[in-house]
């Protein structure tokens, strides 16, 4: 048994329909590549990339202070915090909950500070499907203006252990 020696000039240039399809695929690749930076600057659902270094313990303190000062109720034992319009809101991602529940007003703008206390979590706002990374050590600030009323669910979309699927939070918009 022996292997056949490969043909020396195995390459034949694409021609006809093959050439056309490769050209179209390549063109689409360029379009998609250009759309990434385009939507980064023109899209209305992107992070501006504003982030600060923060120790998890310091972030916990700020978030607890925020939740206590703005508490307007409770939902399943979790405080509901209503930040002042135009003000700062804090949200902690940790194994395995989002703290606190936020109550926001439609049309008002907030600065939402997102951070994790233990490991990487994923902030995924449903049913809008807006997704942001939540990392310990980083205070990620999102400028947020709710455009519709309702109850929005935050799920964690970065696997974070045994209780990952129970990590569900709420944002209420009135
Ligand atoms: Cu998580």
């Amino acid at each position: 048994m022996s292997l056949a020696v490969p043909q020396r000039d195995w390459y034949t240039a694409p021609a006809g329909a093959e050439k056309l399809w490769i050209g179209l695929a390549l063109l689409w690749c360029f379009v998609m590549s250009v759309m990434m930076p385009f939507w980064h600057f023109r899209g209305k659902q992107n992070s501006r990339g504003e982030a600060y270094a923060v120790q998890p313990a310091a972030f916990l303190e700020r978030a607890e202070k925020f939740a206590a000062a703005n508490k307007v109720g409770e939902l399943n034992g979790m405080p509901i915090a209503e930040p002042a319009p135009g003000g700062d809101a804090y949200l902690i991602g940790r194994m395995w909950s989002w703290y606190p529940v936020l109550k926001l007003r439609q049309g008002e703008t907030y600065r939402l500070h997102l951070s994790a206390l233990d490991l990487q979590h994923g902030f995924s706002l449903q049913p809008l499907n807006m997704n942001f990374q939540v990392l310990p050590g980083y205070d990620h600030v999102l400028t947020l203006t709710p455009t519709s009323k309702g109850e929005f669910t935050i799920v964690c979309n970065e696997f974070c252990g045994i209780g990952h699927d129970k990590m569900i939070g709420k944002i209420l918009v009135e």
Side-chain angles (χ1 to χ4, degrees):
M1 195 178 84
S2 67
L3 292 173
V5 178
Q7 212 181 309
R8 274 199 176 225
D9 49 351
W10 54 270
Y11 178 79
T12 48
E18 192 184 9
K19 210 173 189 173
L20 177 71
W21 284 115
I22 290 173
L24 285 175
L26 200 62
L27 183 71
W28 192 239
C29 288
F30 283 123
V31 171
M32 299 290 269
S33 299
V34 168
M35 289 314 274
M36 284 192 280
F38 177 79
W39 281 122
H40 180 77
F41 293 106
R42 284 299 307 273
K44 289 179 177 161
Q45 299 190 346
N46 290 307
S47 163
R48 290 181 186 173
E50 186 182 350
Y52 305 94
V54 67
Q55 289 300 315
F59 192 83
L60 173 66
E61 202 183 310
R62 284 177 214 169
E64 281 181 336
K65 203 183 264 179
F66 159 77
N70 298 280
K71 190 173 170 181
V72 290
E74 256 184 41
L75 185 72
N76 304 324
M78 185 69 76
I80 301 174
E82 184 176 356
D88 293 88
Y90 291 81
L91 187 70
I92 289 176
R94 61 184 163 195
M95 294 187 288
W96 289 285
S97 64
W98 296 99
Y99 172 95
V101 170
L102 296 173
K103 189 171 172 183
L104 308 176
R105 300 209 169 266
Q106 184 186 17
E108 298 290 353
T109 300
Y110 302 88
R111 280 166 57 80
L112 176 60
H113 298 256
L114 264 178
S115 192
L117 298 187
D118 34 40
L119 39 80
Q120 182 175 13
H121 297 282
F123 172 96
S124 182
L125 191 64
Q126 302 299 330
L128 303 173
N129 197 26
M130 291 173 72
N131 302 284
F132 301 98
Q133 293 292 320
V134 187
L135 294 154
Y138 290 90
D139 175 357
H140 187 178
V141 186
L142 300 173
T143 308
L144 186 87
T145 309
T147 53
S148 52
K149 290 178 190 177
E151 199 176 302
F152 299 88
T153 301
I154 309 163
V155 297
C156 181
N157 63 2
E158 285 289 344
F159 182 71
C160 58
I162 195 82
H164 168 66
D165 60 311
K166 309 278 184 300
M167 192 170 162
I168 291 168
K170 286 273 178 225
I171 293 182
L172 315 170
V173 181
E174 293 196 340

